[in-house]
Amino acid sequence: MGSRSLSVVVERPVVALCVGKDCAKRCEFAKMRTTLETECDVLDLKCVGLCDGPVVVIDPGARRPAVYSKLRSKRQRRLVLAAVMGERRARRDLAGNSVDKSKVLARVSRQTKRRLTVRPTAA
């Protein structure tokens, strides 16, 4: 009798990060990217028009993604990672950094929709 292996595909959450010039030049941008890449797949977005970086989008494929800006402290990086993992308390703590501008949300939705449909799937 031969041995059988069970392959399990573990999907990592997808988080979008603004890589516009003003956001990417901040030192906190690199720290945020490094923190997110430990647990998530990071999707690069062109400038979303906030320029208050780093700007992170949680649930970029959702109808109404959560957009957060000015995430500059170590505590905020930990909260973002916790929010991505589904902790409601973390989202509540990040509410002060939430962005609800309709133009920004429309830009994010357009970019993520385009990029998520082109994203290669694991075979």
Side-chain angles (χ1 to χ4, degrees):
M1 194 176 260
S3 65
R4 298 167 100 189
S5 65
L6 178 64
S7 64
V8 178
V9 176
V10 178
E11 290 214 17
R12 293 165 41 114
V14 177
V15 177
L17 186 63
C18 179
V19 295
K21 183 172 60 172
D22 288 334
C23 289
K25 73 180 178 185
R26 301 190 64 88
C27 64
E28 295 91 354
F29 173 83
K31 293 175 185 176
M32 180 63 77
R33 178 179 282 288
T34 303
T35 301
L36 290 174
E37 285 177 341
T38 61
E39 300 290 330
C40 310
D41 290 334
V42 179
L43 180 69
D44 292 343
L45 295 179
K46 294 178 185 175
C47 180
V48 294
L50 285 174
C51 303
D52 287 327
V55 175
V56 175
V57 181
I58 299 175
D59 298 329
R63 190 174 67 80
R64 187 157 171 88
V67 180
Y68 300 100
S69 67
K70 296 183 185 177
L71 301 169
R72 299 180 182 148
S73 70
K74 185 176 184 177
R75 179 180 180 274
Q76 289 172 325
R77 288 192 295 274
R78 285 193 305 252
L79 285 172
V80 166
L81 198 54
V84 169
M85 296 303 160
E87 290 186 27
R88 287 188 175 158
R89 183 176 178 200
R91 286 194 184 219
R92 197 172 47 240
D93 290 347
L94 285 170
N97 297 87
S98 183
V99 176
D100 290 329
K101 295 179 181 177
S102 59
K103 284 185 178 183
V104 171
L105 294 175
R107 247 185 202 174
V108 167
S109 293
R110 261 194 320 273
Q111 286 190 48
T112 55
K113 187 183 299 182
R114 194 173 313 135
R115 292 214 168 99
L116 287 175
T117 56
V118 174
R119 193 168 165 230
T121 58

